[in-house]
Amino acid sequence: MSFVAGLVIGLVVGLALIVVFVRSENARSKQRSDLATTIAALARMTVEDSRKLLTPEYYPSWVVFSQRQKLTWLNLHLEKIWPYVDEAASELIKANVEPILEQYRPVILASLGFSKFTLGTVAPQFTGVSIIEDGSEGITMELEMQWDGNPSIILDIKTYLGVSLPVQVKNIGFTGVFRLIFRPLVDEFPCFGAVCFSLRQKKKLDFTLKVIGGDISTIPGLSDAIESTIRDAVEDSITWPVRKVIPILPGDYSDLELKPVGTLEVKLVQAKELTNKDIIGKSDPFAVLYVRPLRDRMKKSRTINNQLNPVWNEHFEFVIEDASTQHLVVKIYDDEGLQSAELIGCTQIQLAELQPGKVKDVWLKLVKDLEIQRDNKNRGQVHLELLYCPNGMENAFTNPLAQKYSMTSLEKVFKDGAEGNGLAENGEGNKRRDVIVRGVLSVTVISADDLPPADLMGKADPYVVLTMKKTEMKNKTRVVNDSLNPVWNQTFDFVVEDGLHDMLILELWDHDTFGKDLMGRCILTLTRVLLEGEYKDTIPLDGAKSGTINLHLKWAPQPIYRDS
């Protein structure tokens, strides 16, 4: 009986083990099949598929999705013909670059040219090509190029003391994108009239300078002066929007040449929450602004000492040659006196984001590097007002004043309302004049919402102090006791002598018996009220954990002119 029971139990256990094993193998087989299917799907997945699955914030900063196609075939042929290209192009490049170097020659040098120029034995590598669909009547092509070459370039430098210095340019590393434009398209071979070429994007340009048989550092400032000269020459001679036009067929191609298309008016208002770069005290920030990084086109603000929330309220104007591709760059530095300034942060905005003739008020986040926009560290923000005015715009900017009058583009908005003040009748047509937007600013402080508690009881006794920055005229509201959502509905009038360059500062204070505590503030330019005449808005408070203030602003203009 025990034998039979043991046999039955053994058979049951054996069958159970067989069933479990078979099911396990089937499950593993299904898993392998599913994994193979997934891998096959990943192998077929395109870049667009991956971008749909994962949003950009999930990718590391070094991941870049390129739409350029590979050019392996071109690189193979270029390596074969490079010795001939070197011999043919070296003299041509030398003849074209030498006048540009002389144009940007530092004042400390008597002459600057080449004593030797060859491109070396290493051919550049074209890493990609793409066709740009810009809606123009032509073909626009972009070629990405990388070159870590071994050229033999020797500069012949002569100083005013009669000293001749042979300086070798070595260890050149370059990565950039060249743009080729074939336009106009014609019905005659080769089917386009001219070719424009330009350096669309300069990703990297590194090189070192070495005096043959000496040390370049023995002459203070010489290395920096030559390096700056070379970079400026590259920037102003070939970097987009500068372009070289090569006629292929006879014709007039002046429309392809570089020319101004408009003006960008920038008001650098303020910055806030800047990173402190000083060990003792606070940073001394100043701003550098440019559209094209040329020395004579870069604008610099004044330095504000010991301040992480500087207010500049300065105006700058830039010439624009291509609003569709150019951008404004703002870099904030800490002034270190005799030492080199230290970068706090930088930012940029595309001009294509601006609506022509409309003022854009923006806060831009500062980052460490413009090439890597995903910067998690808080380096501060900068406040700008931007106005792009295309040439010949059919609105208030259409007929600017004659050249004998000087106005910023923003000032031209208010020209028409002031022409009746005898501008053309005073007989002083040859004097330069600037418009002053004078008038009365009425500010109604309506209320505030969601203020942070300032007392031990979780309440506050808020009131607002209003100040015009230039004249330092002040007014203040009444105190509203025990409220985090106070209502004032008080109106104050300010006589403003120069509306375009003045600012309204509102500070919210908590009233205490033995003092007062600042709860937050906001700074407003008058640009919007000048353009709109009247508006209501809710303004967030700076320097506060929470809270907004509700305002109503109204402007009564009385423009005048001043001789300058």
Side-chain angles (χ1 to χ4, degrees), residues 13 22 25 60 68 71 78 132 170 178 214 230 253 303 348 380 471 480:
V13 172
V22 170
E25 286 298 310
R68 295 187 173 93
L71 288 171
L78 186 59
I132 307 301
K170 55 188 300 186
F178 285 90
I230 293 175
Y253 303 110
T303 300
Q348 65 181 0
T471 60
V480 178

Side-chain angles (χ1 to χ4, degrees), residues 153-165:
I153 302 175
I154 299 178
L155 296 172
D156 184 17
I157 298 175
K158 293 181 180 178
T159 67
Y160 286 103
L161 299 177
V163 179
S164 181
L165 297 172

Side-chain angles (χ1 to χ4, degrees), residues 504-519:
L504 174 65
I505 302 174
L506 298 102
E507 295 177 320
L508 192 67
W509 296 87
D510 173 44
H511 181 269
D512 289 328
T513 304
F514 301 103
K516 57 183 181 180
D517 299 315
L518 181 64
M519 302 178 66

